[in-house]
Amino acid sequence: MGDLIGTMEVLSNFGEMTFEQGQTQEAREMFEETLALAKANGDEGFPYMSLANLGACAFELGDPKTAHSYYQEALELVKQKGNQSNEVWYL
């Protein structure tokens, strides 16, 4: 599981850097891959972070409806986990 977490961390960090450089589509693909890995392996932390990042990408790509959907899904996951500090951030 350690290698998987490391892979997800690197993908997520690289996606964030790519997003900040204005390469939104490429970043989105990295966040989608991180989300798929997290869901396939039962990880509890990365899905909501990936969804929030995908929301930012969708918004940047001019799709606020999809962005809202990603943010809403991230918020629901955070609420399920009972993490109030993250819940406030996603609101």
Side-chain angles (χ1 to χ4, degrees):
M1 189 73 159
D3 288 337
L4 175 65
I5 290 173
T7 299
M8 290 187 299
E9 285 177 350
V10 169
L11 269 173
S12 184
N13 290 338
F14 193 49
E16 289 176 22
M17 181 185 73
T18 303
F19 180 82
E20 291 298 321
Q21 292 176 340
Q23 300 171 338
T24 308
Q25 184 60 38
E26 292 86 351
R28 188 188 77 147
E29 292 169 8
M30 290 178 211
F31 297 138
E32 286 174 342
E33 187 174 347
T34 303
L35 180 61
L37 284 170
K39 285 185 173 182
N41 291 284
D43 184 86
E44 295 184 359
F46 278 94
Y48 65 81
M49 294 181 336
S50 298
L51 288 164
N53 287 331
L54 285 166
C57 288
F59 188 81
E60 187 68 24
L61 291 168
D63 189 353
K65 186 175 182 177
T66 299
H68 182 268
S69 178
Y70 279 129
Y71 289 136
Q72 192 66 38
E73 189 175 350
L75 180 59
E76 290 304 316
L77 286 176
V78 169
K79 284 181 177 180
Q80 288 174 11
K81 301 300 175 208
N83 189 332
Q84 290 182 337
S85 61
N86 281 340
E87 187 175 335
V88 169
W89 189 85
Y90 286 99
L91 287 172

